[in-house]
Amino acid sequence: MLTGLSWLALEVKYLEPARRFYAETLSLPVREDGENEVVLAAGETDLVLRRPEAVPRGGLHTHYALSIPAAEYDDWWDRLSAEYDLEEAQFGSSRSLYLYDPDGNCVELGQRDVAGPGIDGLFEVVLEVESLDRAREFYEALGFRTVDVGSDRKRVRLNGPMALELWEPHLGIADGRGGVHVDLGFETEDPKAALEAIEDRVDRIERETDDEAVVRDPDGHWLTFRSNSVPATER
């Protein structure tokens, strides 16, 4: 039902330090540079940095993962470890490194099968939820498929346009950061069908047009379902 992740928006207190981190430290191209919002390209997904002056504000203390070519991992580690206390995790044959941005978001750079060079996609977002069962049913109704249920902590992993992890509050890797009021934009062939699939489960509907539906999920996260025919620049 959902065919791609258009954007992830993050709340930042000061725009310039956040911009420098993502544009210079992580070398993400800047697509739009406004007074209260900066849009960077992480492959085909936009990473939006937004000052909290309106709603939706964007995710606060969010954990998410960016794709890097496997062969570049050691170079990224050497480059970033000079300034940051990095953590590392192994997932099968793939490695990921973790660091925090200036606003406390936990950023993961993980080995993926991408062309590069550099960061070439956003492959995982974590949402903090009050009830795993309720959130899992909500996102399964949108076409996400459960692929793993945590045994050592309260979490569910689903696959869809990207990997989506649902965490009940806990401490552990990434300090249990699942984000507050995360703002996600999804591409879909039929926004109305996406809305109908979860209409009776949403916290509320913020906006509905022929090309777009904006809702808040049961935990208050902002979700936009936008028609594939709408240009990416028209957020």
Side-chain angles (χ1 to χ4, degrees), residues 59-193:
L60 178 69
H61 297 161
T62 301
H63 170 47
Y64 69 97
L66 297 166
S67 306
I68 57 173
E72 293 186 14
Y73 182 86
D74 290 337
D75 290 340
W76 276 103
W77 182 277
D78 292 343
R79 173 181 167 186
L80 294 173
S81 62
E83 282 190 68
Y84 296 90
D85 265 336
L86 304 181
E87 294 187 42
E88 184 175 62
Q90 185 92 23
F91 302 99
S93 61
S94 298
R95 292 177 293 168
S96 286
L97 63 84
Y98 299 78
L99 72 162
Y100 290 92
D101 77 2
D103 292 276
N105 299 296
C106 182
V107 185
E108 175 183 348
L109 271 60
Q111 291 179 309
R112 311 295 286 182
D113 184 17
V114 294
I119 291 168
D120 193 6
L122 195 159
F123 70 88
E124 176 186 283
V125 177
V126 175
L127 299 181
E128 184 174 300
V129 301
E130 181 178 342
S131 166
L132 279 181
D133 289 340
R134 181 183 68 182
R136 177 180 178 175
E137 290 173 0
F138 179 89
Y139 285 96
E140 286 180 338
L142 285 169
F144 282 86
R145 179 174 60 88
T146 297
V147 294
D148 187 41
V149 177
S151 57
D152 58 339
R153 64 179 190 260
K154 297 177 179 179
R155 68 166 184 85
V156 172
R157 185 176 182 87
L158 305 99
N159 280 349
M162 77 296 184
L164 179 67
E165 289 221 357
L166 307 174
W167 290 357
E168 289 185 359
H170 66 273
L171 294 179
I173 194 167
D175 292 335
R177 291 170 185 255
V180 181
H181 47 74
V182 172
D183 173 16
L184 294 170
F186 291 101
E187 299 169 6
T188 177
E189 293 181 359
D190 190 344
K192 288 186 179 296

